[in-house]
Amino acid sequence: MAKAAAVFACNSCGSSFPKWLGRCPDCGGWNTLESAGGARASPGGKRLSADVMAHPARPLSEVSGAPEGDTGPGGRLRTGIGEFDRVLGGGLTPASAVLLGGDPGVGKSTLMLQAALGWAGQGERVLYAACEESASQVRRRADRLLASAAESKDNADSASALDIPPQAPPDDLLVCPETRLGVLLEQARQARPAVVVVDSIQMIDASEASTTSGAVAQLRTATLGLIRGGKELGFALMLIGHVTKSGGLAGPKLIEHMVDAVLRFDGDRYHAHRVLRAVKNRFGATHEIGLFEMTGGGLREAADGAGLLADEYQPRPGSVAAPVMQGTRCLMVEVQALTASGFLGSAKRKVSGLDSSRLAMLIAVLERHGGLRLADQDVFASSVGGVRAVEPACDLALALAIAGAFLGRSLPERTAAVGEIGLGGEVRPGPQTERRAAEARRLGFERILGPPVRRGASGAGWTGVSTIGQAMEMLT
């Protein structure tokens, strides 16, 4: 048998090297190489022949394609949580692997348990590997979620939530407080679940790797073993992953390449709104987002973007409402800006949820074509609610917010703005103008500022502005 050779892997990019180096030659990171254990010798010829006979190569024409429907063999596994299924591309694909990451306390475990309850409630067997909690802790959290769901269904009743007996968790939801990879795979082999949820992958202990849990070798071995088990036994894999101080998913980048989808759950732990977005998705689009609101009884869907634009929203200097496209949906988002006296040559430009490069461009356009002097002004801009409004169609709203904050003026009541601004100060149309205008009118906005369009194309209340100067005339 060939002697095992030491291998060192980079915990940033996943590259492997035969010896330790202070700096990774591929990604340039310092002190990122860790021991990944010895390289295993290749199996003998008899074992290879058996594996080939078990999984022979077949012509693609003889392979049946899996339908994308809700039921039937190979159909999507829907949770019943519309926002979650939307981000996945219509539901969880069988035998796929999905990695969910997010900051501590944002609600990753709550979201996964609610999804597991949804799958089990529809008759799909789910194995929930609680690596960080005991079985009793998971049961108490499930009871609280089910009681909240019963209360929301019977909210018209006079009985309080305490008077409603919590529905028992479905029998198809199996909990396994186990961290050993071999034991977990054997549990899955005996239970034959449709979905396996691992909370979290950093806690899994793979005996094949000689390092401790959470190390590069452990993460790579555990993830690979679970993915192989999913392909062999036919279960879909949901992995919860920790994040680093910089906000990236912990562990080597190789893990993100191994899974089929990478989801990111964002939100301020001190605010209610949460945003679920797909960073990678082999079975759907990556521009869809899911909106949730964290409550005492778990996560609730905010399908219509409730809370992103408050009901009591009133126009004020530095605040403009804009219809923003997020995938296939349109959301009304409040764009805010603030200007303060700074120092010429070192003025600050800070953004949150917006494109910093477009902010710098719009400031230059306002100075050149809007007659504003912003070179010595600190400019801060943000989108309310945690939604990233980075599309060019938000240019007009952001420019008017900056101008309104500097001049102390605001748009008239029930007025929104949408449009892209060019370097010449012209206002250009963005995609799906009619849909944006319809959503704004649905939420009570009577006037929409935007680029000139043909008559009647965007409905009543559309006010065309050709330049940023004309748009600034609407500030009062």
Side-chain angles (χ1 to χ4, degrees), residues 275-294:
V275 180
L276 178 68
R277 54 174 54 91
V279 180
K280 167 189 175 182
N281 193 353
R282 290 174 179 165
F283 309 110
T286 57
H287 57 256
E288 296 284 1
I289 67 168
L291 300 176
F292 297 89
E293 182 182 3
M294 178 62 77

PDB file of all heavy atoms in Angstrom, residues 275-294:
ATOM      1  N   VAL A 275     -33.787  38.772   5.368  1.00  0.00           N
ATOM      2  CA  VAL A 275     -33.770  38.610   3.919  1.00  0.00           C
ATOM      3  C   VAL A 275     -33.013  37.335   3.589  1.00  0.00           C
ATOM      4  O   VAL A 275     -31.872  37.156   4.023  1.00  0.00           O
ATOM      5  CB  VAL A 275     -33.114  39.818   3.212  1.00  0.00           C
ATOM      6  CG1 VAL A 275     -33.111  39.612   1.703  1.00  0.00           C
ATOM      7  CG2 VAL A 275     -33.842  41.106   3.572  1.00  0.00           C
ATOM      8  N   LEU A 276     -33.645  36.439   2.840  1.00  0.00           N
ATOM      9  CA  LEU A 276     -33.019  35.205   2.375  1.00  0.00           C
ATOM     10  C   LEU A 276     -32.730  35.343   0.887  1.00  0.00           C
ATOM     11  O   LEU A 276     -33.628  35.629   0.102  1.00  0.00           O
ATOM     12  CB  LEU A 276     -33.942  34.011   2.628  1.00  0.00           C
ATOM     13  CG  LEU A 276     -33.439  32.647   2.161  1.00  0.00           C
ATOM     14  CD1 LEU A 276     -32.245  32.205   3.006  1.00  0.00           C
ATOM     15  CD2 LEU A 276     -34.554  31.607   2.232  1.00  0.00           C
ATOM     16  N   ARG A 277     -31.477  35.152   0.505  1.00  0.00           N
ATOM     17  CA  ARG A 277     -31.087  35.268  -0.896  1.00  0.00           C
ATOM     18  C   ARG A 277     -30.176  34.124  -1.276  1.00  0.00           C
ATOM     19  O   ARG A 277     -29.489  33.545  -0.425  1.00  0.00           O
ATOM     20  CB  ARG A 277     -30.404  36.614  -1.180  1.00  0.00           C
ATOM     21  CG  ARG A 277     -29.239  36.940  -0.303  1.00  0.00           C
ATOM     22  CD  ARG A 277     -28.536  38.223  -0.755  1.00  0.00           C
ATOM     23  NE  ARG A 277     -29.432  39.338  -0.853  1.00  0.00           N
ATOM     24  CZ  ARG A 277     -29.672  40.188   0.138  1.00  0.00           C
ATOM     25  NH1 ARG A 277     -29.092  40.019   1.309  1.00  0.00           N
ATOM     26  NH2 ARG A 277     -30.498  41.196  -0.015  1.00  0.00           N
ATOM     27  N   ALA A 278     -30.169  33.790  -2.549  1.00  0.00           N
ATOM     28  CA  ALA A 278     -29.339  32.704  -3.063  1.00  0.00           C
ATOM     29  C   ALA A 278     -28.070  33.284  -3.662  1.00  0.00           C
ATOM     30  O   ALA A 278     -28.124  34.137  -4.549  1.00  0.00           O
ATOM     31  CB  ALA A 278     -30.098  31.893  -4.110  1.00  0.00           C
ATOM     32  N   VAL A 279     -26.921  32.819  -3.161  1.00  0.00           N
ATOM     33  CA  VAL A 279     -25.641  33.209  -3.724  1.00  0.00           C
ATOM     34  C   VAL A 279     -25.287  32.310  -4.901  1.00  0.00           C
ATOM     35  O   VAL A 279     -24.671  32.740  -5.874  1.00  0.00           O
ATOM     36  CB  VAL A 279     -24.540  33.147  -2.648  1.00  0.00           C
ATOM     37  CG1 VAL A 279     -23.187  33.559  -3.213  1.00  0.00           C
ATOM     38  CG2 VAL A 279     -24.910  34.023  -1.459  1.00  0.00           C
ATOM     39  N   LYS A 280     -25.709  31.046  -4.815  1.00  0.00           N
ATOM     40  CA  LYS A 280     -25.481  30.061  -5.870  1.00  0.00           C
ATOM     41  C   LYS A 280     -26.677  29.140  -5.892  1.00  0.00           C
ATOM     42  O   LYS A 280     -27.185  28.743  -4.842  1.00  0.00           O
ATOM     43  CB  LYS A 280     -24.186  29.286  -5.597  1.00  0.00           C
ATOM     44  CG  LYS A 280     -24.006  28.031  -6.450  1.00  0.00           C
ATOM     45  CD  LYS A 280     -22.826  27.220  -5.963  1.00  0.00           C
ATOM     46  CE  LYS A 280     -22.698  25.911  -6.704  1.00  0.00           C
ATOM     47  NZ  LYS A 280     -21.586  25.081  -6.210  1.00  0.00           N
ATOM     48  N   ASN A 281     -27.142  28.775  -7.084  1.00  0.00           N
ATOM     49  CA  ASN A 281     -28.296  27.883  -7.195  1.00  0.00           C
ATOM     50  C   ASN A 281     -28.257  27.193  -8.548  1.00  0.00           C
ATOM     51  O   ASN A 281     -28.446  27.835  -9.588  1.00  0.00           O
ATOM     52  CB  ASN A 281     -29.606  28.653  -7.026  1.00  0.00           C
ATOM     53  CG  ASN A 281     -30.794  27.731  -6.832  1.00  0.00           C
ATOM     54  OD1 ASN A 281     -30.672  26.514  -6.942  1.00  0.00           O
ATOM     55  ND2 ASN A 281     -31.949  28.303  -6.537  1.00  0.00           N
ATOM     56  N   ARG A 282     -27.993  25.894  -8.544  1.00  0.00           N
ATOM     57  CA  ARG A 282     -27.937  25.138  -9.784  1.00  0.00           C
ATOM     58  C   ARG A 282     -29.324  24.798 -10.324  1.00  0.00           C
ATOM     59  O   ARG A 282     -29.448  24.357 -11.454  1.00  0.00           O
ATOM     60  CB  ARG A 282     -27.152  23.845  -9.566  1.00  0.00           C
ATOM     61  CG  ARG A 282     -25.667  24.045  -9.351  1.00  0.00           C
ATOM     62  CD  ARG A 282     -24.967  22.752  -9.005  1.00  0.00           C
ATOM     63  NE  ARG A 282     -23.531  22.953  -8.816  1.00  0.00           N
ATOM     64  CZ  ARG A 282     -22.724  22.075  -8.238  1.00  0.00           C
ATOM     65  NH1 ARG A 282     -23.220  20.932  -7.791  1.00  0.00           N
ATOM     66  NH2 ARG A 282     -21.440  22.335  -8.101  1.00  0.00           N
ATOM     67  N   PHE A 283     -30.357  24.980  -9.508  1.00  0.00           N
ATOM     68  CA  PHE A 283     -31.707  24.583  -9.910  1.00  0.00           C
ATOM     69  C   PHE A 283     -32.671  25.760  -9.969  1.00  0.00           C
ATOM     70  O   PHE A 283     -33.880  25.564 -10.025  1.00  0.00           O
ATOM     71  CB  PHE A 283     -32.247  23.525  -8.949  1.00  0.00           C
ATOM     72  CG  PHE A 283     -31.320  22.364  -8.745  1.00  0.00           C
ATOM     73  CD1 PHE A 283     -30.674  22.185  -7.541  1.00  0.00           C
ATOM     74  CD2 PHE A 283     -31.084  21.464  -9.765  1.00  0.00           C
ATOM     75  CE1 PHE A 283     -29.815  21.116  -7.347  1.00  0.00           C
ATOM     76  CE2 PHE A 283     -30.219  20.398  -9.588  1.00  0.00           C
ATOM     77  CZ  PHE A 283     -29.582  20.225  -8.380  1.00  0.00           C
ATOM     78  N   GLY A 284     -32.165  26.973  -9.944  1.00  0.00           N
ATOM     79  CA  GLY A 284     -33.037  28.134  -9.989  1.00  0.00           C
ATOM     80  C   GLY A 284     -32.227  29.405 -10.144  1.00  0.00           C
ATOM     81  O   GLY A 284     -31.001  29.380 -10.299  1.00  0.00           O
ATOM     82  N   ALA A 285     -32.914  30.523 -10.102  1.00  0.00           N
ATOM     83  CA  ALA A 285     -32.269  31.824 -10.272  1.00  0.00           C
ATOM     84  C   ALA A 285     -31.642  32.279  -8.961  1.00  0.00           C
ATOM     85  O   ALA A 285     -32.038  31.861  -7.872  1.00  0.00           O
ATOM     86  CB  ALA A 285     -33.286  32.854 -10.752  1.00  0.00           C
ATOM     87  N   THR A 286     -30.653  33.151  -9.070  1.00  0.00           N
ATOM     88  CA  THR A 286     -29.994  33.705  -7.889  1.00  0.00           C
ATOM     89  C   THR A 286     -30.429  35.137  -7.575  1.00  0.00           C
ATOM     90  O   THR A 286     -29.907  35.737  -6.636  1.00  0.00           O
ATOM     91  CB  THR A 286     -28.470  33.686  -8.086  1.00  0.00           C
ATOM     92  OG1 THR A 286     -28.137  34.423  -9.267  1.00  0.00           O
ATOM     93  CG2 THR A 286     -27.949  32.264  -8.216  1.00  0.00           C
ATOM     94  N   HIS A 287     -31.360  35.694  -8.361  1.00  0.00           N
ATOM     95  CA  HIS A 287     -31.796  37.059  -8.106  1.00  0.00           C
ATOM     96  C   HIS A 287     -33.072  37.124  -7.272  1.00  0.00           C
ATOM     97  O   HIS A 287     -33.551  38.214  -6.983  1.00  0.00           O
ATOM     98  CB  HIS A 287     -31.996  37.820  -9.423  1.00  0.00           C
ATOM     99  CG  HIS A 287     -32.965  37.152 -10.353  1.00  0.00           C
ATOM    100  ND1 HIS A 287     -32.555  36.456 -11.468  1.00  0.00           N
ATOM    101  CD2 HIS A 287     -34.299  37.043 -10.336  1.00  0.00           C
ATOM    102  CE1 HIS A 287     -33.606  35.967 -12.097  1.00  0.00           C
ATOM    103  NE2 HIS A 287     -34.678  36.312 -11.425  1.00  0.00           N
ATOM    104  N   GLU A 288     -33.642  35.974  -6.903  1.00  0.00           N
ATOM    105  CA  GLU A 288     -34.835  35.979  -6.068  1.00  0.00           C
ATOM    106  C   GLU A 288     -34.448  36.185  -4.605  1.00  0.00           C
ATOM    107  O   GLU A 288     -33.371  35.757  -4.165  1.00  0.00           O
ATOM    108  CB  GLU A 288     -35.601  34.664  -6.203  1.00  0.00           C
ATOM    109  CG  GLU A 288     -36.162  34.404  -7.595  1.00  0.00           C
ATOM    110  CD  GLU A 288     -37.388  35.242  -7.877  1.00  0.00           C
ATOM    111  OE1 GLU A 288     -37.783  36.036  -7.001  1.00  0.00           O
ATOM    112  OE2 GLU A 288     -37.952  35.117  -8.974  1.00  0.00           O
ATOM    113  N   ILE A 289     -35.327  36.814  -3.834  1.00  0.00           N
ATOM    114  CA  ILE A 289     -35.111  36.981  -2.410  1.00  0.00           C
ATOM    115  C   ILE A 289     -36.376  36.569  -1.675  1.00  0.00           C
ATOM    116  O   ILE A 289     -37.477  36.576  -2.239  1.00  0.00           O
ATOM    117  CB  ILE A 289     -34.744  38.438  -2.037  1.00  0.00           C
ATOM    118  CG1 ILE A 289     -35.936  39.384  -2.288  1.00  0.00           C
ATOM    119  CG2 ILE A 289     -33.511  38.900  -2.766  1.00  0.00           C
ATOM    120  CD1 ILE A 289     -35.757  40.756  -1.693  1.00  0.00           C
ATOM    121  N   GLY A 290     -36.205  36.181  -0.426  1.00  0.00           N
ATOM    122  CA  GLY A 290     -37.335  35.876   0.445  1.00  0.00           C
ATOM    123  C   GLY A 290     -37.337  36.822   1.629  1.00  0.00           C
ATOM    124  O   GLY A 290     -36.282  37.063   2.245  1.00  0.00           O
ATOM    125  N   LEU A 291     -38.481  37.361   1.963  1.00  0.00           N
ATOM    126  CA  LEU A 291     -38.612  38.334   3.046  1.00  0.00           C
ATOM    127  C   LEU A 291     -39.338  37.706   4.217  1.00  0.00           C
ATOM    128  O   LEU A 291     -40.390  37.078   4.054  1.00  0.00           O
ATOM    129  CB  LEU A 291     -39.369  39.574   2.560  1.00  0.00           C
ATOM    130  CG  LEU A 291     -38.728  40.344   1.402  1.00  0.00           C
ATOM    131  CD1 LEU A 291     -39.634  41.476   0.954  1.00  0.00           C
ATOM    132  CD2 LEU A 291     -37.366  40.886   1.809  1.00  0.00           C
ATOM    133  N   PHE A 292     -38.767  37.879   5.410  1.00  0.00           N
ATOM    134  CA  PHE A 292     -39.344  37.330   6.631  1.00  0.00           C
ATOM    135  C   PHE A 292     -39.337  38.394   7.717  1.00  0.00           C
ATOM    136  O   PHE A 292     -38.582  39.377   7.653  1.00  0.00           O
ATOM    137  CB  PHE A 292     -38.550  36.109   7.112  1.00  0.00           C
ATOM    138  CG  PHE A 292     -38.563  34.945   6.162  1.00  0.00           C
ATOM    139  CD1 PHE A 292     -37.603  34.834   5.175  1.00  0.00           C
ATOM    140  CD2 PHE A 292     -39.530  33.960   6.262  1.00  0.00           C
ATOM    141  CE1 PHE A 292     -37.600  33.770   4.290  1.00  0.00           C
ATOM    142  CE2 PHE A 292     -39.541  32.884   5.383  1.00  0.00           C
ATOM    143  CZ  PHE A 292     -38.577  32.797   4.403  1.00  0.00           C
ATOM    144  N   GLU A 293     -40.169  38.153   8.714  1.00  0.00           N
ATOM    145  CA  GLU A 293     -40.207  38.998   9.897  1.00  0.00           C
ATOM    146  C   GLU A 293     -40.077  38.102  11.124  1.00  0.00           C
ATOM    147  O   GLU A 293     -40.837  37.154  11.297  1.00  0.00           O
ATOM    148  CB  GLU A 293     -41.507  39.799   9.962  1.00  0.00           C
ATOM    149  CG  GLU A 293     -41.588  40.733  11.156  1.00  0.00           C
ATOM    150  CD  GLU A 293     -42.917  41.480  11.208  1.00  0.00           C
ATOM    151  OE1 GLU A 293     -43.766  41.216  10.344  1.00  0.00           O
ATOM    152  OE2 GLU A 293     -43.094  42.308  12.123  1.00  0.00           O
ATOM    153  N   MET A 294     -39.094  38.394  11.958  1.00  0.00           N
ATOM    154  CA  MET A 294     -38.870  37.597  13.156  1.00  0.00           C
ATOM    155  C   MET A 294     -39.824  38.046  14.263  1.00  0.00           C
ATOM    156  O   MET A 294     -39.886  39.233  14.607  1.00  0.00           O
ATOM    157  CB  MET A 294     -37.425  37.743  13.626  1.00  0.00           C
ATOM    158  CG  MET A 294     -37.121  36.992  14.903  1.00  0.00           C
ATOM    159  SD  MET A 294     -37.333  35.206  14.760  1.00  0.00           S
ATOM    160  CE  MET A 294     -35.840  34.780  13.864  1.00  0.00           C
TER     161      MET A 294
END
